[in-house]
Amino acid sequence: MDDNSELYYSRLEKLVKYKALEIQETLDASTKINNYLLTLPLDKRREAVGRDLMTWFFEVFSAEDSAWNRSFVSEYTSSYVEMLYLAARPTKTLMSNPTFNYAIAKLMNSSTDLTFIDNYHLDYIEHCLADDNVSWNYATKTMQDVENDALGSFDFIFISEYDVFHDVALITKFCNALNAGGTMVLSHTNDDLRAYAAESEYTLSYEMHQVIKSISGLSVYHIPTAPGHTVVIKD
Amino acid sequence: MAHDAQGNLSYIEKQLAYFMLLVGLNPESLDSITIDEILTAARSLSKIATDRNNESLPTISISEEQGDIFAGAPEDVLLKNQRIFLILNIRRFWYWRQLAIGALSRG
């Protein structure tokens, strides 16, 4: 992160007030999760993991000397989800990435009928963060449920491109699970900025957006800040 | 309902099996193969301009008028991006498999 970005976000920070978002909670959760990950024999060589945010998220967010840890950017980009969630006032919510967005997950847990996609995030919630004394109340759906059109229906869906990047057609399943008037927020949808570059039309992000746009009755928006958020609203 | 580590691992291994087949490898070898071997097979699947510098292929800027700086024939841009995402897929599922095995190992 360069000095200009720091200055830009330091000014934005003075303009906003959140309902529940507290980035420190995500940072503290990241530390607990990273401490667990350090006990696993993970192959973290560059060749094995590349430069993928997904694989180093907890490491950089838990490191006190990391720019990601100290920056307001992460909190600010998370605020898009809080804002959209509060505006939607959903009764039923589906979420896939609670440990990337811990404060928002807790907000959802306290204010909606919450369902998690069963993945490593749920394992971390149950194994690494169990001593946080959060009274969780959630149902689960698996990726097999996604493939088999057995998701059910929701007023608000918060997932990331990580959930569908291997088969962008899966985004149709999530769109179909939206109730009328429902909102879906997808995070990390700019493919590490490739979606805005010269080769944009060859990216998975582009392909995924075309799939969503091809479905009738959906409006599609994109917020280009940081990792990119795409918002889908069903008629 | 609690996390289903075995169900999660099954999904991940199914996806890895697909990508192994895609790059010409036998999914039955998943327990013995290395990530390096899978990535080598993936890179061998499609040759792009950076692999073929000695072949004097024509290169163009796909949006020169806008100042974008990606030099390469359109087919190479397409192949490059397909390869980027193929490798990304393989790496993520390999990493997730390690996490899932870690969860299972706790019993």
Side-chain angles (χ1 to χ4, degrees):
Chain A
M1 191 164 308
D2 59 34
D3 290 343
N4 283 338
S5 292
E6 294 266 12
L7 187 60
Y8 177 81
Y9 283 103
S10 71
R11 289 171 176 156
L12 282 180
E13 188 174 13
K14 298 171 183 171
L15 304 180
V16 295
K17 175 186 175 184
Y18 306 128
K19 177 75 172 178
L21 191 59
E22 174 49 72
I23 194 64
Q24 190 59 46
E25 293 187 44
T26 293
L27 299 178
D28 293 343
S30 294
T31 300
K32 291 178 182 177
I33 293 166
N34 194 54
N35 288 341
Y36 162 68
L37 293 177
L38 290 172
T39 70
L40 299 180
L42 300 174
D43 184 352
K44 296 287 290 286
R45 291 175 300 127
R46 175 62 63 85
E47 174 65 355
V49 298
R51 301 178 64 186
D52 188 358
L53 171 65
M54 189 277 297
T55 58
W56 49 259
F57 181 96
F58 300 109
E59 184 178 337
V60 296
F61 276 90
S62 61
E64 292 186 0
D65 60 350
S66 161
W68 291 81
N69 182 309
R70 297 194 311 270
S71 170
F72 175 69
V73 179
S74 305
E75 180 175 312
Y76 189 72
T77 54
S78 294
S79 75
Y80 304 148
V81 185
E82 177 178 307
M83 174 175 63
L84 290 160
Y85 173 79
L86 292 172
R89 293 181 172 272
T91 300
K92 293 182 65 181
T93 297
L94 177 68
M95 185 189 203
S96 70
N97 48 15
T99 56
F100 284 174
N101 301 274
Y102 193 44
I104 292 170
K106 292 203 292 187
L107 171 65
M108 290 174 171
N109 181 59
S110 65
S111 57
T112 188
D113 181 356
L114 181 59
T115 298
F116 284 137
I117 295 289
D118 189 357
N119 55 25
Y120 64 97
H121 286 274
L122 182 58
D123 184 37
Y124 296 161
I125 289 278
E126 294 176 350
H127 178 68
C128 305
L129 307 175
D131 63 354
D132 279 5
N133 294 318
V134 178
S135 181
W136 290 103
N137 182 21
Y138 52 78
T140 62
K141 290 290 183 180
T142 65
M143 285 304 292
Q144 289 90 339
D145 290 329
V146 176
E147 290 186 334
N148 297 327
D149 293 307
L151 263 181
S153 60
F154 301 90
D155 308 303
F156 193 87
I157 296 175
F158 178 27
I159 59 175
S160 88
E161 194 179 285
Y162 299 152
D163 298 303
V164 299
F165 69 97
H166 56 294
D167 179 3
V168 293
L170 287 176
I171 195 61
T172 303
K173 313 281 189 177
F174 288 100
C175 292
N176 291 342
L178 265 183
N179 286 329
T183 301
M184 175 162 63
V185 182
L186 290 129
S187 65
H188 302 92
T189 57
N190 69 18
D191 289 347
D192 294 331
L193 300 177
R194 286 191 199 92
Y196 316 134
E199 64 259 51
S200 161
E201 293 182 13
Y202 303 104
T203 63
L204 283 181
S205 172
Y206 182 88
E207 186 180 344
M208 183 188 73
H209 283 84
Q210 302 316 304
V211 171
I212 301 172
K213 286 165 65 178
S214 72
I215 301 171
S216 63
L218 300 180
S219 300
V220 186
Y221 306 90
H222 183 77
I223 304 170
T225 315
H229 287 71
T230 295
V231 182
V232 179
I233 299 176
K234 197 167 201 171
D235 291 347
Chain B
M1 185 181 294
H3 175 59
D4 175 6
Q6 184 59 61
N8 188 39
L9 179 63
S10 296
Y11 183 79
I12 291 165
E13 292 193 337
K14 178 185 165 190
Q15 305 308 317
L16 265 176
Y18 168 77
F19 287 110
M20 289 179 71
L21 280 171
L22 198 65
V23 300
L25 297 171
N26 181 0
E28 296 291 323
S29 65
L30 180 59
D31 286 331
S32 59
I33 202 166
T34 67
I35 179 71
D36 304 68
E37 290 169 321
I38 303 176
L39 294 178
T40 297
R43 291 189 178 105
S44 303
L45 196 64
S46 58
K47 300 193 81 178
I48 59 177
T50 51
D51 300 329
R52 297 180 290 180
N53 285 338
N54 295 331
E55 298 178 27
S56 300
L57 291 174
T59 59
I60 60 171
S61 171
I62 61 174
S63 58
E64 192 171 20
E65 72 283 359
Q66 295 169 349
D68 281 324
I69 309 171
F70 186 87
E75 60 268 29
D76 279 323
V77 181
L78 172 64
L79 285 175
K80 187 200 82 163
N81 275 277
Q82 287 187 336
R83 195 164 84 167
I84 286 170
F85 292 114
L86 174 62
I87 288 172
L88 185 69
N89 271 296
I90 291 167
R91 282 174 166 153
R92 281 186 183 163
F93 278 109
W94 188 266
Y95 184 74
W96 284 343
R97 182 171 183 262
Q98 294 178 78
L99 297 181
I101 289 171
L104 270 177
S105 70
R106 299 197 309 266

